[in-house]
Amino acid sequence: MKLLIALYFFILAIIQMGLFFGINHYYRSKNSVKPSRHWMSSLLISVLGLIIFGAGIIVIDDILKPEFNFTVANTLFFVAAVLQALFCKSLNHPISRFMKISFSISIIIFAIIFEWMRNAGSYEVRTAFMCILASFLHMANFRDLSKEGE
């Protein structure tokens, strides 16, 4: 079963990598439009997180005691989500230095909290934390996307 779950993460990584290479090739051939640095970085970081997560699933002995690589993978997922948020915000206005610094600090805080949760919390609590956090980030993205073009 572990192999099938890991395979799922590897397939998602391959799909996202294909999306990255396809878009990168398209934009290089057109030269008139440049892809968003935030969005392209989000794709690459998400791929890296998926690969680390999939590899971690293969080698894990007990899901109740995950290794540090799960903190790394989940932090990369958070970084990818933050970069998506920056991309959505950049559609309406330039990203300020303060916002970039704030998001950078939030990544460090996330890594510390998730590492603490990995050591002290349960699988369910970590999963709920990630789902709630992702929901808030996606709601903010939807808000920013709905403002785009106004």
Side-chain angles (χ1 to χ4, degrees), residues 109-137:
I109 292 169
F110 173 87
I112 292 167
I113 290 171
F114 196 87
E115 178 61 13
W116 173 78
M117 290 174 64
R118 184 184 68 81
N119 289 313
S122 67
Y123 170 80
E124 292 81 8
V125 170
R126 290 189 303 271
T127 302
F129 175 70
M130 290 299 291
C131 290
I132 291 168
L133 192 57
S135 295
F136 280 122
L137 283 168

Side-chain angles (χ1 to χ4, degrees), residues 70-109:
F70 285 93
T71 297
V72 173
N74 280 288
T75 301
L76 290 173
F77 293 146
F78 180 72
V79 171
V82 164
L83 288 169
Q84 285 179 6
L86 288 174
F87 166 69
C88 291
K89 286 201 174 299
S90 73
L91 295 173
N92 297 317
H93 50 78
I95 303 299
S96 69
R97 179 175 163 87
F98 174 76
M99 186 174 289
K100 290 177 184 177
I101 291 170
S102 297
F103 275 131
S104 297
I105 291 169
S106 75
I107 292 166
I108 294 166
I109 292 169

